[in-house]
Amino acid sequence: MPGYSPAAPVQAHIHELGHFGMSQRTIAADSGVSQETVRLIAAGEYQMVRTRTSVAILSVTHSPNPRQPHVLAIGATRRLQALQTLAWPLVVLAAESGIQLGTLWKLSNRTQKTTRWEIWSAIHSIYPGLSGTPGPSPQTQREAIAAGWLSTMDWEAEDVDIDDPRITPQASGRELPRTTQELSARRAAEAADHLGLGSSVEQIARRMGISERQVERLLKRDPTTQP
C-alpha cells in the first residue's frame, strides 16, 4: 500500500517511550502528530499507518528538546547526583541554575520521571563548567558517595549518553577522592598528563569539559608543570 507502513514498530516505539516515562502528549508534541493518533496506534487500533506519521513518531527519542513540554528527567537527575559527588551542594546548584532548591531536591532523589524542558536545559547548561572542578561541601560529597551515586568520572569513563534511560554505566573502579583537595590534585594531574602529551590549553579544556582559565589554574597546582 503506497504511502503506508506497518503500525507494529511504531506501536512498540510508543510503548518504549512510555516505559521511560514519556507521555503520549509529549510524543505527539515532539512528532507533530495528534495525541489521538498516538493513542490509537498505541492501543493497536491500526495495522498500517501513513509512512510520514510512522517516520515522525519513530524520530522521537529519549533526548530532551524544546518541542517537548515535559522531558525525561533522568539526565537531569544523573547530572545533579554526579555534581554532588564533586562536593557541589544543591543550594549552590540552585543559585547557579536559577532553579528552586526544592525542585532540584526532587530531581536529585528521583521522585519524578519528567521535568520541564526549561529545568532540564538549565541543569544541562551548568554541568560542563562545574563537572571538572570541586565544590565547597565535603559533607555533600560524603553523602553522595554513600548513596552510591555515579560520579562525573564514571560518566566520562563510559563516554555514554547520560540522558539515555537504557544505559547504566558501570562504576569506573577508580576510588573517588575523599576530599576536595584530593579531587583538585587528581584533576591537576590529569591536565598535566594532557599537557605532557602535547595538548594545548584550549585542547585540554575541551577534553576535560572545563574552561581554559580552569585548566590554567589546575596546571599551576601540579608541580610537574612548573619550571
Side-chain angles (χ1 to χ4, degrees):
M1 187 182 299
Y4 284 80
S5 304
V10 186
Q11 180 188 36
H13 187 61
I14 294 171
H15 287 170
E16 180 181 45
L17 294 174
H19 178 71
F20 296 159
M22 188 179 295
S23 69
Q24 291 181 6
R25 178 186 177 189
T26 294
I27 296 171
D30 195 351
S31 65
V33 175
S34 73
Q35 186 174 343
E36 179 66 6
T37 297
V38 173
R39 185 189 71 80
L40 290 173
I41 294 173
E45 294 293 329
Y46 299 131
Q47 295 298 313
M48 305 290 289
V49 295
R50 291 184 182 275
T51 299
R52 64 188 181 194
T53 298
S54 173
V55 170
I57 294 176
L58 291 174
S59 69
V60 179
T61 71
H62 63 273
S63 297
N65 68 73
R67 294 186 301 275
Q68 301 176 355
H70 285 83
V71 303
L72 295 181
I74 189 168
T77 293
R78 288 168 168 175
R79 289 178 176 88
L80 290 173
Q81 291 179 350
L83 289 175
Q84 288 173 84
T85 70
L86 291 185
W88 289 106
L90 287 180
V91 65
V92 174
L93 299 181
E96 291 286 334
S97 65
I99 305 300
Q100 291 184 353
L101 180 61
T103 299
L104 295 187
W105 186 92
K106 291 178 182 178
L107 284 170
S108 181
N109 288 277
R110 294 179 180 263
T111 64
Q112 57 193 80
K113 286 190 173 182
T114 62
T115 188
R116 298 200 315 273
W117 155 256
E118 294 80 8
I119 293 174
W120 177 91
S121 183
I123 295 169
H124 176 269
S125 295
I126 66 170
Y127 183 76
L130 299 179
S131 63
T133 55
S137 174
Q139 178 62 29
T140 294
Q141 184 179 53
R142 286 192 293 270
E143 292 174 356
I145 293 173
W149 292 346
L150 293 173
S151 71
T152 58
M153 291 184 289
D154 291 325
W155 290 108
E156 291 170 3
E158 292 289 339
D159 192 27
V160 296
D161 183 356
I162 195 172
D163 289 293
D164 192 338
R166 296 166 296 188
I167 295 175
T168 302
Q170 298 297 314
S172 62
R174 290 175 289 181
E175 183 181 355
L176 284 173
R178 297 186 180 183
T179 66
T180 55
Q181 289 78 12
E182 289 179 18
L183 175 60
S184 181
R186 179 172 294 185
R187 297 295 279 178
E190 181 182 352
D193 288 343
H194 285 303
L195 185 69
L197 293 173
S199 298
S200 66
V201 169
E202 180 182 2
Q203 290 170 326
I204 296 171
R206 187 165 56 252
R207 288 169 183 167
M208 295 181 66
I210 58 179
S211 70
E212 293 182 27
R213 178 175 294 183
Q214 288 172 317
V215 172
E216 291 171 351
R217 287 202 296 264
L218 288 172
L219 292 175
K220 288 179 181 179
R221 292 184 186 136
D222 191 278
T224 64
T225 64
Q226 305 306 309

